[in-house]
């Protein structure tokens, strides 16, 4: 079972797994999510941070006889780990690593204590007012929890800081302030499973990022690989994770975030020679072979829109429709898709 079927990279992941012989069930909150129609089966689920999410996933795993779940969005990670108690393999790091990474302030403290380079980081409620003067590249303000680039603001003055706190909708202790590192950015796939041995580290230099990485290229970088292995040794993820870092003015990696799940650039990792998702799935459910740290440098990813084609019967077999709701699907009424989706409010066009 693969979640987040509407995310940009997920349809490709679904197709890739099917091509490698896996039966794939996809889930998403949105009936328009394309991955729902490219999987063997598709199901609508509540949001990952809602109380209804885990019961729905538990029922779907039983109905579809799922042996493994590949979660791909942060909001659902803590709840979906519970499926392991039902005998379902969850392709995530250990829970304590997941919860540490989801609190970015706690993560920075733990990495710093382990001697791993990070940007200077404060809670917005306690940052020193002269920090803006000593950070030549400016400062990054972002929510303490949450995924991707949501809510991230660049500031360079105390006045900006006051405005961000007053207008951002977050309490000061729900925001962190980080020194902005201006060097090249890397997103790094760290391939590891329950034995704790790192099987591969694949650094990818980010060329363009707009919410998700859109252009990137694989790069061999000895110090980046060393730091990522040190993270596993210190924090014991024992599952796949993705490190976000920048190189400082001296070329040293400074980790600013860790995603405790597969990266949105896992397809680039596979194209370079390390098929992390399919490889770890085989190890988890079929005693498959370990992956090796052998991959090609200079493989560039260009993320684009594309189309896939299937028969009408394949498209409609899921019992879900991506079409806008009919006039019967007004607030207070359930969607006519028959999937138990939440009511959908009408859209007014001017």
């Amino acid at each position: 079972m693969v979640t987040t079927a509407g995310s940009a990279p997920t349809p490709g992941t679904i197709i890739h797994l099917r091509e490698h012989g896996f039966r794939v069930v996809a889930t998403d909150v949105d009936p328009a999510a394309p991955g729902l129609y490219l999987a063997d089966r598709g199901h609508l689920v509540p949001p990952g941070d809602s109380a209804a999410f885990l019961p729905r996933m538990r029922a779907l795993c039983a109905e579809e006889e799922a042996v493994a779940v590949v979660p791909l969005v942060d909001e659902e990670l803590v709840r979906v780990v519970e499926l392991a108690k039902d005998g379902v393999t969850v392709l995530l790091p250990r829970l304590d690593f997941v919860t540490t990474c989801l609190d970015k302030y706690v993560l920075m403290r733990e990495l710093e204590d382990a001697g791993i380079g990070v940007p200077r980081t404060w809670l917005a409620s306690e940052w020193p007012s002269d920090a803006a003067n000593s950070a030549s590249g400016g400062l990054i303000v972002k929510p303490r929890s949450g995924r991707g680039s949501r809510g991230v603001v660049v500031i360079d003055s105390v006045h900006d800081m006051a405005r961000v706190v007053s207008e951002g909708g977050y309490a000061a202790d729900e925001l962190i302030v980080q020194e902005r590192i201006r060097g090249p950015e890397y997103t790094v796939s760290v391939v590891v499973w329950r034995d704790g041995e790192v099987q591969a580290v694949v650094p990818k230099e980010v060329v363009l990022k707009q919410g998700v990485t859109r252009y990137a290229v694989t790069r061999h970088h000895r110090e980046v690989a060393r730091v990522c292995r040190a993270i596993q040794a210190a924090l014991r993820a024992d599952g796949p994770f993705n490190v976000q870092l920048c190189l400082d003015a001296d070329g040293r990696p400074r980790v600013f975030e860790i995603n405790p799940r597969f990266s949105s650039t896992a397809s680039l990792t596979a194209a370079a020679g390390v098929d992390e998702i399919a490889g770890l799935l085989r190890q988890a459910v079929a005693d498959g072979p370990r992956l090796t740290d052998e991959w090609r440098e200079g493989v560039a990813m260009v993320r684009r829109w594309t189309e896939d084609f299937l028969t009408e019967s394949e498209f409609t077999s899921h019992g879900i429709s991506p079409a806008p709701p009919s006039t019967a699907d007004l607030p207070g009424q359930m969607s006519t898709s028959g999937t138990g989706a939440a009511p959908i409010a009408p859209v007014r066009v001017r």
Side-chain angles (χ1 to χ4, degrees):
M1 187 172 291
V2 176
T3 72
T4 326
S7 177
T10 308
T13 297
I14 291 168
I15 292 170
H16 179 74
L17 291 175
R18 293 188 72 192
E19 289 174 345
H20 280 71
F22 293 95
R23 178 178 180 269
V24 181
V25 176
T27 67
D28 201 272
V29 300
D30 183 359
L36 294 173
Y37 308 94
L38 298 172
D40 293 281
R41 289 280 291 165
H43 294 280
L44 297 180
V45 296
D49 54 2
S50 73
F53 173 76
L54 181 58
R56 173 67 168 156
M57 288 293 291
R58 186 165 270 145
L60 287 176
C61 285
E63 175 185 335
E64 297 287 357
E65 299 181 341
V67 296
V69 175
V70 180
L72 295 175
V73 65
D74 290 352
E75 289 88 339
E76 64 196 21
L77 301 186
V78 172
R79 284 186 167 89
V80 82
V81 167
E82 292 292 312
L83 295 173
K85 296 177 180 177
D86 302 333
V88 178
T89 298
V90 182
L91 269 289
L92 284 179
R94 298 190 187 278
L95 180 59
D96 57 350
F97 182 85
V98 171
T99 56
T100 293
C101 293
L102 293 180
D103 187 327
K104 294 168 186 168
Y105 183 71
V106 171
L107 174 63
M108 292 301 104
R109 299 281 74 80
E110 293 211 10
L111 291 174
E112 192 171 39
D113 290 345
I116 294 166
V118 298
R120 289 182 296 165
T121 304
W122 307 268
L123 288 175
S125 58
E126 60 187 31
W127 78 299
S129 58
D130 62 349
N133 299 325
S134 61
S136 59
L139 296 167
I140 301 288
V141 184
K142 59 186 178 182
R144 184 171 172 170
S145 62
R147 58 185 158 112
S149 303
R150 295 185 178 185
V152 176
V153 179
V154 179
I155 66 168
D156 56 15
S157 71
V158 176
H159 174 75
D160 287 342
M161 184 67 205
R163 177 181 52 80
V164 168
V165 172
S166 65
E167 298 177 1
Y170 293 92
D173 60 0
E174 294 175 335
L175 293 169
I176 63 171
V177 183
Q178 285 187 316
E179 173 189 17
R180 188 183 184 193
I181 309 300
R182 299 297 296 268
E185 181 177 341
Y186 282 77
T187 178
V188 190
S189 289
V190 184
V191 184
V192 59
W193 194 231
R194 294 294 187 248
D195 64 1
E197 294 293 326
V198 176
Q199 300 176 35
V201 177
V202 184
K204 294 150 284 187
E205 184 176 353
V206 177
V207 179
L208 176 66
K209 190 174 190 177
Q210 293 176 331
V212 296
T213 299
R214 296 195 176 275
Y215 296 82
V217 59
T218 54
R219 302 274 191 219
H220 285 295
H221 196 294
R222 182 176 300 176
E223 187 61 13
V224 167
R226 184 198 67 77
V227 166
C228 291
R229 290 176 180 274
I231 292 170
Q232 163 60 15
L235 274 62
R236 293 297 304 216
D238 296 355
F241 63 98
N242 168 247
V243 178
Q244 309 265 325
L245 60 84
C246 286
L247 305 182
D248 66 15
D250 297 317
R252 297 172 301 185
R254 305 278 288 278
V255 177
F256 62 86
E257 198 162 307
I258 297 177
N259 299 313
R261 51 172 170 77
F262 289 112
S263 167
S264 66
T265 59
S267 59
L268 175 55
T269 308
V274 179
D275 194 349
E276 56 179 326
I277 298 182
L280 287 186
L281 264 174
R282 289 193 181 97
Q283 292 175 40
V285 304
D287 198 25
R290 289 172 54 86
L291 298 170
T292 62
D293 200 11
E294 298 177 1
W295 47 274
R296 300 190 309 281
E297 184 175 35
V299 179
M301 179 190 77
V302 177
R303 182 157 278 155
R304 63 187 177 91
W305 287 100
T306 189
E307 294 81 29
D308 290 284
F309 302 93
L310 49 158
T311 66
E312 184 177 9
S313 61
E314 289 172 325
F315 178 72
T316 59
S317 64
H318 301 91
I320 305 171
S321 172
S326 69
T327 54
D329 296 320
L330 297 176
Q333 304 211 12
M334 297 301 289
S335 167
T336 57
S337 63
T339 58
I344 304 174
V347 178
R348 294 183 179 179
V349 180
R350 295 183 180 181

